Amino acid sequence: MSTQRSSSGRYLNQTIGVNLMRLATLVNAGVIVAIILYLVYNALPALSWEFVFDSPRDMMTKGGVWPCIVGTFFLAVGATIIALPLGVATAVYLTEYGGSGRFVSGVRLAVSNLSGVPSVIFGLFGLTFFVTLCGFGVSLISGIFTLAVLALPIVINTTEAALNQVPQSWREASLALGASKKQTIFKIILPAALPGILTGNILALSRVAGETAAIMYTAAVFFTPKMSSSIFDPVMSLPYHIYVLATSSVNVEETRPLQYATALLLVAMVLGLNMIALIIRNRAQRKIARQ
């Protein structure tokens, strides 16, 4: 009788727990949908093909945000291209070669601390190092390097977690069959951890695409009369454009629909980049499952 009551109690607790998690999921999804609908409603007066593909004009009260879209794309993709291989290489060293010495512990502590540093600190670092000391000036390349440094802790942490999920028996079996450590890493471990690595890359891409403080000192400008033709030219970006319209516009009420429309385009752009990364990750997962 007591066993039956215990089973009923566990079932009740499990049911309550699952329903609470389902409720939390619905609340989160509802908040996201509400934010997107709010952006769409307020952005409709400004949304048009001209707004997407034209350049700003008349003190940012007319025209579009095409230079901002291009600048944001190059900043986000460029930072990801740099941060991904560096982050993966660091995680591989920490997981496969580093062991448990003081140096590795110090690196892990530094990476964990960097994950919680405000983005404005990265912006000031980029201003001091890339803009001033390296002589790149306020430019696309300075912004890319700064955002890459910002994204590194995310890539390292998620990649290390993905590598640790690969069973140790796979490593031992590969080495027992005569494969070298390098062959084991590139042929067994990294392919198996690829979905997790790409998940980390998605998180890093989402963060750098929406950064304002990290690029306002290093790459972004209020307005450029022409599209940037070099990595050493400054760029416009969607997050900084929203910031400028909301804080420095001559007529805030007149530009408010432009703010919402720019924010909606930023959300759509991040979603599009994430969808591409998700497609690549899902294909990798299917390939691993077939093997």
Side-chain angles (χ1 to χ4, degrees):
M1 187 71 174
S2 60
T3 303
Q4 185 177 3
R5 289 179 179 177
S6 177
S7 300
S8 300
R10 286 197 300 268
Y11 177 77
L12 178 61
N13 291 335
Q14 180 180 357
T15 302
I16 293 174
V18 170
N19 288 330
L20 287 176
M21 288 186 287
R22 184 179 290 115
L23 177 62
T25 302
L26 291 175
V27 170
N28 287 329
V31 170
I32 294 173
V33 172
I35 292 174
I36 293 176
L37 291 177
Y38 181 77
L39 287 176
V40 171
Y41 175 78
N42 289 277
L44 282 177
L47 280 179
S48 65
W49 290 112
E50 178 188 5
F51 178 77
V52 176
F53 294 106
D54 201 358
S55 299
R57 60 180 189 269
D58 293 347
M59 299 298 295
M60 304 299 218
T61 59
K62 295 181 181 179
V65 293
W66 179 246
C68 305
I69 295 175
V70 174
T72 303
F73 176 83
F74 282 129
L75 285 169
V77 174
T80 304
I81 290 174
I82 294 175
L84 184 60
L86 290 177
V88 171
T90 303
V92 168
Y93 172 77
L94 294 175
T95 306
E96 305 299 328
Y97 294 100
S100 57
R102 291 184 177 179
F103 174 74
V104 173
S105 299
V107 172
R108 286 197 173 99
L109 179 61
V111 171
S112 299
N113 289 334
L114 285 175
S115 299
V117 171
S119 58
V120 67
I121 304 300
F122 288 98
L124 294 174
F125 164 77
L127 173 64
T128 303
F129 187 75
F130 298 117
V131 175
T132 304
L133 292 181
C134 295
F136 295 149
V138 177
S139 61
L140 175 62
I141 191 65
S142 295
I144 287 175
F145 282 142
T146 303
L147 290 176
V149 174
L150 186 148
L152 266 177
I154 302 174
V155 177
I156 293 173
N157 287 330
T158 53
T159 301
E160 191 174 3
L163 294 174
N164 286 328
Q165 290 179 356
V166 178
Q168 184 63 28
S169 59
W170 291 18
R171 297 173 173 85
E172 296 171 354
S174 177
L175 295 173
L177 291 173
S180 65
K181 183 75 171 178
K182 179 180 177 182
Q183 290 173 327
T184 300
I185 291 173
F186 283 95
K187 299 292 185 180
I188 304 297
I189 300 174
L190 285 179
L194 184 59
I197 294 173
L198 292 177
T199 299
N201 184 60
I202 292 171
L203 295 174
L205 182 64
S206 300
R207 180 173 181 185
V208 300
E211 280 297 331
T212 303
I215 61 172
M216 65 188 303
Y217 304 115
T218 58
V221 291
F222 176 77
F223 176 74
T224 54
K226 60 184 180 64
M227 296 285 290
S228 300
S229 58
S230 169
I231 59 174
F232 297 103
D233 291 336
V235 295
M236 299 181 69
S237 72
L238 291 172
Y240 189 64
H241 190 67
I242 298 170
Y243 169 77
V244 170
L245 289 177
T247 59
S248 304
S249 177
V250 177
N251 190 338
V252 177
E253 292 302 324
E254 186 179 355
T255 61
R256 195 172 300 281
L258 302 179
Q259 299 172 31
Y260 286 110
T262 306
L264 183 62
L265 287 179
L266 178 60
V267 172
M269 184 176 182
V270 172
L271 179 61
L273 293 173
N274 286 347
M275 288 300 297
I276 295 174
L278 284 171
I279 291 172
I280 296 174
R281 188 192 69 176
N282 292 337
R283 288 183 177 178
Q285 286 178 327
R286 289 195 295 268
K287 183 177 179 181
I288 294 172
R290 287 196 298 267
Q291 294 175 348

